[in-house]
């Protein structure tokens, strides 16, 4: 299955992808900006996310409240999210509302309302979000605040992505205006429209709405380089809200789009993809030591589609308290060692390829997922065609390559580990 | 030149017709719905039973849910591992989930594998063995999962709210307890399966790139035709109590804020007040242009999340406002939420609010039809809830017919702070439910 799409670029640098599919009267308008939490400056942690909130505070012609009101009143669903390397916004809309979506997105790219009142209000909203979604949730503090510090040495990668209350307080209107000018320029964005629309008409509308927004100097990418890891590292976090212990284990991952990147995606599926995976069969079912697990190239803030090096192949396992974190670590590494030693068989490889392919087809049923995939690959790789070609490349990885990637990357001497234990049990 | 100063005018949404549904029934009573849709090389299947947690014996809460989970953990012909490997080889997903009303086996696969998928679904629906070691593992893991769930304030709040509002009705038990999990055993699972997972209590929906109906039916007949029907007993639960003002506190030491539910018994989907109340709920607290969002979050800054939700189960429903606030602003926040409830119950909503809510509900409804799983899930629900098959086709038309007066009247009947139950989850050393009850709200 492939996604047909057109690729254009406006004179001001805005990249445009059009992926029509006229079967259901729904479309997605997706805009992705090349800035995320890893571009934040010291003393301004959480700024990318705070800025994402500011994007919903109104613009010159669409005052505060208009965005949600208009999108929702036409039956759409707006949203935005902040990631380590990008920030994205989308509207899923009934297909008669394309112009509305373009009007809203272009108005805020052109003329966002950056005022002290909006900023103060959104600082409070972000603090409240932090209390609700992080400070009051088991595992969340460990994952969001402590894990990056353990996993990375370079501050750009290691700082809390949601940010501290102190840094949020310190953010000024000038900071917001500068960030907007630098990063929210047309030449730092990709616009994707997918679903039910007519491409020529959509292209004309995009040119009308976005064409005269001035470009800005291309921002320098942050220096994300990490010193190489030479020894394993372990920490324990006492979680006062958790009832069940959990272990995070990770290894530094390969460069994006390298042969080993494809091989590690397959390795991860063999280990953790679905109920036929080795972790499910061996750790959950046979040993009964692990209760639940999740893993990804780029976990916890990214997956293979938006993994960007430096990053980690990481996993989190909720485990049976009759075991220790150290025992779980051993069991995980035994499963990996089996692949490093014996590789994987043909039947298992064939099954994993089918799993990969069918999961992708299922995912691409929605216009939103098609838009997100195309937009990410244009922004991160400059090559949206990966959305149609990468499955063949990943599925072509041989059993030997998977074994070799496991040997190269899942190396105990470069392992990072965080054991999250319920605070009461530790006392 | 385009006019940037105003939102663009848009044409009306073109009408959307659902793909045709071919409907029939096997001689053993199994209802079958086939929907052809060739957009993707996939098929989605749902085999739904009216066999949700409401049918759990009171001391065995979680029986339906764990029966569903164990259906795919070994049959007379396949080990659990074999099922998992077959699922992956077919490019399939297969799981059985249970809610208050229904237990649904959900599957999808690459369409070329439809025959194998049907064979596999039939196997797990009819021939699960509930082997001792699988039962033991399920119980152990469910108990751990429950501990993890119970560490979350929202879970505790929903649990207590269901208990308060539904009282003796089995909808009050939406989740198992450690004790009820301990009581589950093979005999209970087999008993539940053989009593409720039977063809005359089931609906099968197949949707996607299907062969012609005769060929699909032949496949269904081959694997489910010999399935024996059994008489189904009547389900007569005790009534929920009359709504009354009360406040219940669930202690969660260390909580930095309070998780709040304010609500009461409301209506089912089949009730004439359902759509007007759904619109009222949307205007009050359904999304970012709702009154609760704009006032309690944006204007007053009391909460990050504040919304209301309507939960229409088959036999009864609830409506509730939901929010989480800092302990220091607990009382003003509750007062503010209640003021919004009173306002929508006493003054007609504006024409603009009504249009926004109706468009929102229609639009989100259309969006759920993008995926095969979305449509198949809606169809099986409609059948299990006993709603007419044209429910989907007529939904947006009926929604558009709702008037501001109907919205106010429905709100006046169900959004009543004076007999709403208030559930609070927070640190008991910092919150006092009696003070909430005594406060003039």
């Amino acid at each position: 299955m492939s996604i047909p799409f057109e690729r254009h670029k406006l004179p001001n640098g805005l990249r445009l992808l059009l992926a029509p599919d006229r079967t259901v009267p729904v479309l997605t308008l997706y805009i992705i900006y090349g800035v995320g939490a890893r571009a934040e400056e010291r003393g301004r942690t959480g700024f990318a996310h705070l800025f994402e909130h500011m994007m919903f505070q109104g613009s010159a012609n669409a005052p505060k409240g208009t965005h949600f009101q208009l999108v929702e009143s036409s039956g759409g669903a707006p949203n935005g999210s902040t990631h380590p390397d990008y920030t994205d916004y989308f509207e899923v809309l009934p297909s008669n509302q394309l112009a509305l979506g373009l009007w809203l997105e272009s108005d805020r790219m052109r003329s966002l309302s950056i005022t002290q009142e909006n900023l103060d209000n959104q600082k409070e909203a972000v603090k409240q979000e932090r209390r609700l979604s992080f400070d009051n949730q088991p595992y969340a503090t460990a994952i969001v605040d402590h894990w990056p510090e353990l996993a990375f040495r370079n501050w750009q990668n290691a700082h809390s992505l949601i940010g501290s209350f102190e840094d949020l307080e310190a953010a000024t209107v000038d900071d917001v205006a500068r960030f907007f000018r630098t990063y929210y320029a047309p030449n730092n964005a990709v616009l994707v429209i997918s679903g039910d629309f007519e491409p020529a008409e959509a292209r004309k509308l995009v040119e009308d709405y976005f064409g005269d927004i001035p470009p800005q100097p291309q921002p320098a990418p942050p220096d994300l380089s990490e010193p190489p890891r030479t020894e394993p590292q372990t920490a324990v976090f006492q979680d006062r809200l958790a009832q069940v212990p959990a272990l995070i284990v990770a290894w530094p991952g390969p460069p994006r789009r390298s042969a080993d990147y494809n091989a590690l995606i397959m390795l991860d599926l063999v280990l953790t993809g679905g109920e036929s995976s080795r972790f499910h069969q061996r750790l959950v079912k046979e040993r009964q030591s692990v209760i639940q697990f999740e893993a990804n190239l780029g976990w916890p803030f990214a997956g293979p589609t938006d993994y960007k090096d430096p990053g980690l192949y990481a996993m989190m396992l909720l485990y049976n308290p009759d075991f220790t974190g150290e025992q779980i670590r051993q069991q995980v590494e035994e499963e990996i060692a089996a692949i490093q030693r014996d590789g994987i068989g043909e039947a298992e490889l064939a099954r994993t390829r089918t799993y990969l392919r069918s999961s992708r087809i299922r995912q691409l049923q929605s216009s939103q997922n098609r838009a997100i995939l195309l937009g990410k690959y244009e922004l991160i790789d400059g090559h949206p065609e990966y959305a149609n070609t990468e499955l063949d490349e990943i599925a072509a990885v041989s059993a030997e390559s998977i074994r070799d990637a496991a040997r190269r990357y899942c190396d105990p001497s470069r392992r990072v580990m965080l054991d999250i234990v319920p605070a009461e049990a530790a006392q | 030149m385009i006019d940037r100063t105003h939102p663009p005018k848009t044409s009306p949404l073109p009408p959307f017709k659902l793909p045709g549904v071919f409907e029939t029934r096997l001689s053993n009573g199994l209802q079958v719905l086939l929907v052809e849709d060739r957009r993707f090389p996939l098929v989605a299947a749902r085999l739904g039973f009216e066999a949700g947690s409401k049918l759990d014996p009171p001391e065995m809460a979680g029986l339906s849910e764990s029966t569903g989970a164990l259906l795919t953990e070994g049959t007379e012909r396949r080990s659990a591992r074999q099922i998992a490997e077959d699922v992956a080889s077919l490019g399939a997903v297969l799981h059985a989930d249970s809610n208050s009303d229904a237990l649904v086996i959900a599957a999808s696969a690459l369409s070329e594998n439809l025959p194998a998928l049907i064979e596999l679904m039939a196997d797990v629906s009819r021939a699960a063995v509930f082997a001792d070691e699988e039962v033991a593992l399920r119980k152990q893991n469910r108990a751990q999962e429950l501990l993890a769930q119970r560490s979350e304030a929202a879970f505790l709040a929903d649990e207590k709210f269901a208990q308060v509002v539904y009282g003796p009705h089995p909808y009050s038990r939406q989740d198992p307890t450690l004790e009820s999990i301990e009581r589950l055993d093979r005999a209970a699972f087999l008993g539940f399966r053989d009593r409720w997972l039977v063809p005359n209590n089931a609906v099968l929906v197949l949707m996607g790139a299907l062969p012609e109906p005769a060929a699909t039916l032949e496949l269904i007949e081959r694997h489910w035709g010999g399935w024996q029907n059994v008489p189904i007993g009547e389900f007569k639960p005790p009534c929920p109590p009359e709504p009354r003002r009360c406040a219940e506190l669930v202690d969660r030491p260390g909580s930095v804020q309070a998780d709040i539910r304010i609500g009461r018994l409301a209506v089912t989907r089949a009730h004439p007040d359902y759509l007007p109340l759904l619109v009222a709920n949307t205007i009050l607290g359904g999304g970012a242009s709702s009154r609760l969002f704009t006032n309690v979050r944006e204007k007053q800054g009391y909460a990050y999340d504040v919304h209301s939700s309507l939960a229409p189960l088959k036999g009864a429903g609830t409506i509730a406002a939901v929010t989480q606030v800092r302990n220091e602003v607990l009382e003003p926040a509750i007062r503010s939420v209640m003021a919004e409830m009173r306002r929508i119950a006493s003054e007609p909503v504006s024409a603009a609010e009504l249009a926004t809510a109706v468009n929102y509900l229609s639009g989100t409804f259309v969006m759920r039809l993008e995926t095969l799983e979305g449509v198949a899930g809606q169809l099986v629900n409609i059948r299990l809830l006993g709603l007419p098959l044209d429910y989907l086709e007529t939904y947006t038309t009926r929604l558009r017919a709702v008037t501001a007066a109907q919205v106010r009247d429905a709100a006046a009947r169900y959004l009543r702070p004076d007999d709403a139950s208030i559930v609070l989850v927070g640190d008991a050393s910092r919150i006092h439910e009696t003070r909430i009850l005594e406060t003039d709200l």
Side-chain angles (χ1 to χ4, degrees):
Chain A
M1 190 189 148
S2 100
I3 314 168
F5 68 92
E6 294 175 13
R7 189 175 182 215
H8 305 284
K9 192 174 199 174
L10 270 56
N12 62 7
L14 179 67
R15 288 155 282 179
L16 171 65
L17 302 175
L18 301 172
D21 169 8
R22 322 240 18 197
T23 49
V24 182
V26 173
L27 60 79
T28 297
L29 203 154
Y30 180 68
I31 188 156
I32 175 169
Y33 291 93
V35 62
R38 291 210 281 196
E40 284 164 359
E41 296 166 8
R42 280 178 194 270
R44 292 293 180 273
T45 57
F47 196 83
H49 175 238
L50 174 66
F51 189 86
E52 176 214 320
H53 277 247
M54 291 297 289
M55 282 287 277
F56 292 94
Q57 296 307 301
S59 50
N61 298 302
K64 185 170 175 164
T66 311
H67 193 100
F68 282 115
Q69 205 275 330
L70 286 180
V71 174
E72 286 194 354
S73 66
S74 56
N79 215 336
S81 61
T82 309
H83 302 254
D85 301 304
Y86 62 93
T87 309
D88 60 1
Y89 302 85
F90 57 82
E91 288 84 39
V92 184
L93 292 161
S95 55
N96 60 331
Q97 299 292 351
L98 173 61
L100 175 76
L102 293 173
W103 176 72
L104 287 167
E105 287 298 351
S106 64
D107 207 55
R108 62 181 174 180
M109 189 192 284
R110 178 194 313 277
S111 59
L112 188 67
S113 299
I114 300 169
T115 67
Q116 189 66 50
E117 188 194 352
N118 287 344
L119 179 60
D120 291 344
N121 184 299
Q122 290 315 301
K123 283 179 184 175
E124 284 311 306
V126 170
K127 284 189 207 166
Q128 191 58 20
E129 181 180 3
R130 181 176 173 118
R131 284 187 199 101
L132 174 67
S133 307
F134 301 96
D135 297 348
N136 213 30
Q137 299 293 336
Y139 315 112
T141 307
I143 293 169
V144 173
D145 293 336
H146 296 278
W147 174 249
E149 284 179 10
L150 188 65
F152 295 105
R153 309 288 164 78
N154 179 338
W155 184 89
Q156 295 302 135
N157 304 316
H159 72 270
S160 165
L161 305 188
I162 183 81
S164 69
F165 277 14
E166 294 73 25
D167 285 1
L168 284 173
E169 260 327 318
T172 67
V173 169
D174 281 348
D175 292 333
V176 177
R178 188 161 48 89
F179 195 86
F180 178 66
R181 208 169 42 245
T182 311
Y183 295 111
Y184 279 67
N187 49 304
N188 201 37
V190 176
L191 171 63
V192 189
I193 306 170
S194 70
D196 183 23
F197 65 95
E198 209 283 299
E201 192 186 319
R203 191 177 167 190
K204 171 81 172 54
L205 281 170
V206 170
E207 283 164 357
D208 287 348
Y209 280 109
F210 289 86
D212 60 349
I213 302 176
Q216 299 295 333
Q218 196 62 34
D223 175 10
L224 303 180
S225 57
E226 282 286 324
R229 279 190 174 271
T230 49
E231 53 188 32
Q233 198 181 352
T234 299
V236 177
F237 178 75
Q238 315 253 337
D239 192 322
R240 69 191 166 83
L241 296 169
Q243 306 261 3
V244 177
L247 182 72
I248 303 177
V249 194
W251 303 264
R256 179 177 174 85
R257 299 293 176 196
S258 63
D260 280 334
Y261 161 88
N262 289 341
L264 270 190
I265 291 173
M266 289 295 284
L267 174 69
D268 175 47
L269 291 179
V270 170
L271 290 173
T272 72
E275 298 204 344
S276 66
S277 68
R278 292 193 177 203
F279 278 18
H280 187 82
Q281 289 300 327
R282 294 271 301 144
L283 305 185
V284 177
K285 299 299 294 280
E286 281 175 38
R287 296 191 170 196
Q288 307 191 2
S289 54
V290 170
I291 297 160
Q292 276 178 25
F293 56 85
E294 51 185 72
N296 243 331
L297 198 53
W299 186 94
F301 305 115
T305 60
D306 53 1
Y307 166 88
K308 199 169 162 185
D309 48 285
L312 295 106
Y313 172 47
M315 53 188 62
M316 173 163 157
L317 308 101
L318 252 58
Y319 63 88
N320 179 337
D322 295 342
F323 293 78
T324 65
E326 185 51 27
Q327 286 172 315
I328 301 299
R329 193 271 305 159
Q330 276 176 23
Q331 294 181 6
V332 163
E333 290 192 337
E334 278 169 31
E335 293 308 316
I336 293 171
I339 293 178
Q340 290 168 332
R341 193 177 54 236
D342 309 327
I344 58 172
E346 267 313 308
E348 191 174 14
L349 184 59
R351 205 164 61 220
T352 305
R353 287 174 178 150
T354 306
Y355 180 88
L356 170 77
R357 198 175 289 282
S358 60
S359 315
R360 175 60 68 82
I361 294 174
R362 208 168 274 119
Q363 177 200 5
L364 292 184
Q365 288 181 78
S366 88
S367 59
Q368 182 183 326
N369 288 338
R370 292 194 296 273
I372 290 175
L373 203 64
L374 288 169
K376 279 183 195 169
Y377 291 176
E378 174 68 70
L379 184 86
I380 303 174
D381 301 307
H383 191 70
E385 290 82 2
Y386 275 130
N388 292 329
T389 59
E390 67 175 350
L391 276 196
D392 288 339
E393 291 171 27
I394 299 169
V397 171
S398 68
E400 293 69 38
S401 305
I402 298 172
R403 181 199 62 200
D404 293 347
R407 287 177 182 169
R408 261 196 296 278
Y409 285 92
C410 299
D411 173 355
S413 74
R414 292 190 293 151
R415 175 218 321 129
V416 196
M417 178 172 132
L418 178 62
D419 196 10
I420 306 169
V421 296
E424 293 90 336
Q427 279 159 10
Chain B
M1 269 308 281
I2 49 163
D3 174 13
R4 286 186 210 293
T5 58
H6 292 92
K9 297 263 179 291
T10 46
S11 49
L13 188 64
F16 174 60
K17 194 112 178 67
L18 280 171
V21 178
F22 174 90
E23 196 185 1
T24 186
R25 193 184 276 266
L26 303 194
S27 58
N28 58 13
L30 175 65
Q31 296 178 66
V32 177
L33 274 61
L34 307 179
V35 187
E36 194 184 328
D37 184 330
R38 304 205 156 269
R39 285 177 292 159
F40 309 97
L42 290 175
V43 285
R46 295 287 182 278
L47 180 61
F49 303 89
E50 187 168 352
S53 61
K54 67 184 176 187
L55 300 176
D56 293 346
E59 73 286 1
M60 282 206 190
L63 177 57
S64 164
E65 171 201 86
S66 283
T67 302
L70 287 164
L71 291 180
T72 52
E73 298 294 349
T75 67
E76 289 157 20
R77 304 171 54 181
R78 289 177 169 93
S79 67
R81 182 176 197 133
Q82 194 59 50
I83 292 172
E85 292 182 354
D86 285 356
V87 165
S89 299
L90 298 176
V93 291
L94 173 69
H95 48 94
D97 302 307
S98 149
N99 58 32
S100 296
D101 287 313
L103 186 158
V104 179
I105 303 174
S108 75
L110 297 172
S111 47
E112 72 229 35
N113 295 328
L114 175 68
L117 182 74
I118 298 284
E119 190 275 324
L120 179 59
M121 272 184 95
D123 192 31
V124 302
S125 66
R126 298 179 59 180
V129 289
F130 306 100
D132 290 338
E133 65 276 15
E134 296 293 347
V135 169
L137 177 59
R138 166 71 191 168
K139 289 168 68 171
Q140 179 185 312
N141 286 354
R142 187 64 183 93
Q144 290 300 325
E145 194 187 313
L146 183 66
L147 285 177
Q149 286 177 316
R150 298 192 64 84
S151 65
E152 287 173 26
F155 180 89
L156 298 176
D158 291 337
E159 177 186 67
K160 177 58 78 178
F161 184 71
Q163 288 167 1
V164 170
V165 174
Y166 285 119
H169 191 286
Y171 285 159
S172 64
R173 295 183 296 272
Q174 300 190 340
D175 293 283
T177 62
L178 289 176
E179 297 72 35
S180 74
I181 291 170
E182 197 39 52
R183 289 189 198 101
L184 301 176
D185 60 15
R186 181 161 187 268
F189 294 125
L190 285 170
F192 190 88
R193 198 265 312 270
D194 294 341
R195 181 164 177 203
W196 300 111
L197 306 195
V198 294
N200 45 319
N201 193 35
V203 184
L204 174 69
V205 176
L206 291 183
M207 174 154 189
L210 300 174
E212 56 172 292
T216 311
L217 276 176
E218 195 274 320
L219 202 56
I220 293 168
E221 187 71 49
R222 192 184 322 150
H223 295 291
W224 277 298
W227 196 12
Q228 266 307 309
N229 54 7
V230 295
I232 300 172
E234 211 178 335
F235 171 62
K236 276 200 204 140
C239 287
E242 279 300 308
R244 65 181 174 86
R245 166 73 70 87
C246 62
E248 294 273 351
L249 174 67
V250 181
D251 187 19
R252 184 169 181 264
S255 224
V256 298
Q257 58 179 5
D259 208 316
I260 307 170
R261 304 287 179 276
I262 305 172
R264 49 158 279 164
L265 217 53
V267 294
T268 68
R269 255 180 241 270
H271 194 281
D273 281 339
Y274 173 67
L275 281 183
L277 189 61
L278 180 65
V279 173
N281 176 65
T282 304
I283 295 170
L284 175 68
S289 47
S290 70
R291 292 177 176 186
L292 289 177
F293 190 95
T294 45
N295 293 330
V296 182
R297 170 177 153 146
E298 297 292 295
K299 215 173 274 172
Q300 293 153 346
Y302 287 143
Y304 172 73
D305 168 37
V306 54
H307 67 272
S308 60
S309 73
L310 193 58
L313 304 183
K314 186 171 185 178
T318 59
I319 188 163
V322 176
T323 188
Q324 303 81 30
V325 302
R326 307 191 298 285
N327 294 332
E328 306 81 68
V329 298
L330 182 61
E331 282 158 50
I334 293 177
R335 194 175 291 122
S336 175
V337 168
M338 286 192 164
E340 291 301 341
M341 291 166 77
R342 286 199 182 90
R343 182 157 74 95
I344 200 166
S346 56
E347 300 164 15
V349 298
S350 73
E353 280 178 311
L354 179 60
T356 300
V358 168
N359 284 335
Y360 173 70
L361 290 167
S362 318
T364 49
F365 172 77
V366 172
M367 277 158 216
R368 284 201 295 271
L369 307 179
E370 254 194 319
T371 64
L372 297 179
E373 289 85 354
V375 183
Q378 299 247 33
L379 287 172
V380 80
N381 264 342
I382 280 167
R383 270 303 143 105
L384 290 170
L385 291 169
L387 298 167
L389 199 57
D390 70 354
Y391 186 86
L392 294 180
E393 293 278 345
T394 63
Y395 182 82
T396 52
T397 316
R398 286 181 291 121
L399 203 49
R400 281 178 202 290
V402 171
T403 66
Q406 288 173 328
V407 171
R408 184 200 52 204
D409 293 349
R413 279 194 277 280
Y414 308 102
L415 284 165
R416 297 161 56 98
D418 296 342
D419 50 33
S421 302
I422 304 170
V423 169
L424 305 162
V425 178
D427 190 331
S429 66
R430 307 181 61 187
I431 295 174
H432 303 283
E433 73 273 29
T434 46
R435 219 171 75 211
I436 298 292
L437 263 188
E438 284 157 12
T439 309
D440 180 22
L441 298 165

